Amino acid sequence: MEIYFLGTNAGVPTLQRNVTSIVLRLMEERRSFWMFDCGEGTQHQVLRSPLRLGKLEKLFVTHLHGDHLFGLPGLLSSRGYQGGTAPLTVYGPPGLKAFLDVSLSVSQSRMPYKLEIVEHTGGLVFEDETFKVEAGLLEHRIDSYGYRVTEKDSPGSLNTELLQSYGLKPGPLYGKLKKGEDVTTESGVAIRASEVVHEPKKGRIVTILGDTRPCPGSLPLAQGADLIIHEATFAHDLAEMAYQYHHSTAVQAAELAREAEGRELLLTHFSSRYVSQEELTPLLEEAQAIFPQTLLAEEFCTFPVYRRK
C-alpha cells in the first residue's frame, strides 16, 4: 500500500504543480489503485506516471470545486480508450451524478465498461472483506468530505516449521488452522490453531482530507491513522487568510495530526504563491516543529504506508 501524487497545487495548475489528485496504490492487496480527486489535467499526469487507467478501480471525490473535479470526464473517457474494461465506481457528494451525466451525455462519450456513480453525505461508503471506507463532513465553502480508508486485519501467518515437525504438509488443514480451527492429522496428532498461528497483522489506516479549515469533523477521520494527508494551503503567517478562504495552514494540519495521534503526516494542496518545492520548506519546518513525522507531498513521488509495530 502506497500513496502517489499526481497533483499537489491549490486552485489552479502552475508550471511546477498540477491541481489535486491523489492515488492509493493497492497492487499487492488488489492489483489495482484508487484515486482521490481528479483535477483538470490529471490524465496528462497519468501519462507521465507508471499508472495504467485500466487498473483504476475506485475514484473518490472530496468536493465539487473545479480543481478537484474538472479532470474527471476526460479521464473516464480516456480509460476506455486505454483498454479499461473492468467496472469503475465513482463516489462523491450530491451533485456529482448530475455533473457527470451532463458532461458525458453532451459529449456523447461512450465507455466500454460499467460506470457506477455513488453519491453520499458521509458515513460508510464502501466495505468488502479487505477494506472499509468512511466519509465525514469537513468545513469548506461547499460540502467537502474527508475519507478514512481502513485495511482490515489479516490472519497471522502459520508457523510452518512447527507444523512440519508434526508431520503436517501444506494442504487443506493449513487453511483450517489459519481460520482458527483446531485440526487432527491422519496420524492422530491434535493441533491447536492458537499454537501454530502467529498474531494477526494489524490493518493500516489512511486518512485523506478534502479542503477544510480546522473543524471537529477532521479528528474522527484522522484518529490513530498510519498516514494523514492534509491540505496546507498557506504558511501560518497567513492563518487569517486561510480561515477566510476555508483552508488550513501547515501548522493547523500538524496540530490535527498530533491530536489524532497519527503516525505520519503528508502535506499537500499548496498555494500558487509558493512556486518551487524549496519555497515550501518554511511550511514543512512549521509543521515539523509540532509534529516531527511530517513530509511534503511531491508529484510523481511514492510514499509507502507503513504498518504500525
Side-chain angles (χ1 to χ4, degrees):
M1 186 189 289
E2 57 191 23
I3 292 292
Y4 188 86
F5 286 91
L6 292 171
T8 61
N9 211 58
V12 296
T14 69
L15 291 175
Q16 292 76 27
R17 299 189 299 267
N18 200 47
V19 285
T20 297
S21 184
I22 302 168
V23 166
L24 176 61
R25 300 178 72 181
L26 304 166
M27 299 313 293
E28 290 187 8
E29 295 82 3
R30 305 173 78 93
R31 301 195 63 79
S32 66
F33 69 91
W34 295 355
M35 184 178 290
F36 293 79
D37 288 334
C38 186
E40 181 182 0
T42 294
Q43 64 172 312
H44 291 276
Q45 299 290 86
V46 170
L47 292 174
R48 299 171 60 194
S49 79
L51 302 169
R52 296 294 176 266
L53 287 179
K55 295 291 186 181
L56 175 60
E57 178 189 1
K58 296 185 179 298
L59 199 156
F60 299 86
V61 177
T62 61
H63 64 293
L64 304 185
H65 276 156
D67 59 326
H68 295 252
L69 183 69
F70 284 164
L72 190 49
L75 181 136
L76 294 177
S77 179
S78 294
R79 183 176 184 264
Y81 285 109
Q82 295 181 22
T85 56
L88 172 64
T89 307
V90 181
Y91 303 82
L96 175 64
K97 188 175 188 305
F99 171 78
L100 288 176
D101 283 349
V102 170
S103 301
L104 298 175
S105 63
V106 169
S107 61
Q108 296 188 28
S109 300
R110 291 178 172 83
M111 291 161 289
Y113 59 88
K114 179 183 178 182
L115 174 65
E116 183 179 7
I117 303 168
V118 177
E119 294 186 335
H120 68 80
T121 54
L124 181 66
V125 298
F126 169 75
E127 185 172 17
D128 65 7
E129 67 281 357
T130 311
F131 288 98
K132 177 173 67 173
V133 182
E134 299 162 286
L137 185 63
L138 305 174
E139 191 171 314
H140 194 47
R141 290 194 296 115
I142 62 174
D143 284 355
S144 178
Y145 291 86
Y147 292 97
R148 179 182 176 93
V149 181
T150 302
E151 178 189 32
K152 296 183 178 180
D153 295 350
S154 56
S157 59
L158 293 175
N159 187 334
T160 54
E161 290 184 4
L162 182 56
L163 288 173
Q164 289 171 6
S165 72
Y166 290 140
L168 187 63
K169 297 179 179 180
L173 293 185
Y174 271 41
K176 289 186 176 182
L177 287 166
K178 198 155 189 178
K179 292 178 182 178
E181 301 176 20
D182 297 338
V183 303
T184 301
T185 67
E186 293 181 357
S187 60
V189 178
I191 303 176
R192 299 180 63 182
S194 60
E195 296 175 350
V196 296
V197 180
H198 295 296
E199 287 294 317
K201 292 181 180 179
K202 185 69 176 174
R204 291 160 289 185
I205 300 173
V206 177
T207 297
I208 299 175
L209 300 174
D211 288 8
T212 186
R213 58 189 180 190
C215 68
S218 297
L219 184 58
L221 294 169
Q223 192 70 55
D226 297 284
L227 179 63
I228 301 168
I229 300 175
H230 198 298
E231 70 135 288
T233 309
F234 300 106
H236 204 61
D237 62 334
L238 297 175
E240 182 59 34
M241 178 182 293
Y243 184 83
Q244 292 175 359
Y245 286 95
H246 294 79
H247 284 297
S248 297
T249 68
V251 165
Q252 290 164 342
E255 289 172 340
L256 171 69
R258 182 178 61 185
E259 184 179 3
E261 298 182 327
R263 196 192 61 76
E264 192 170 31
L265 172 66
L266 268 172
L267 302 178
T268 188
H269 198 267
F270 308 117
S271 168
S272 299
R273 70 181 59 234
Y274 311 110
V275 177
S276 67
Q277 202 72 5
E278 289 72 24
E279 290 180 71
L280 293 172
T281 300
L283 279 72
L284 177 62
E285 293 174 344
E286 287 180 350
Q288 287 180 334
I290 296 168
F291 189 78
Q293 296 77 36
T294 302
L295 297 171
L296 293 175
E298 190 170 352
E299 291 170 27
F300 308 116
C301 284
T302 297
F303 297 85
V305 182
Y306 295 107
R307 196 182 305 272
R308 285 178 185 259
K309 295 182 180 179

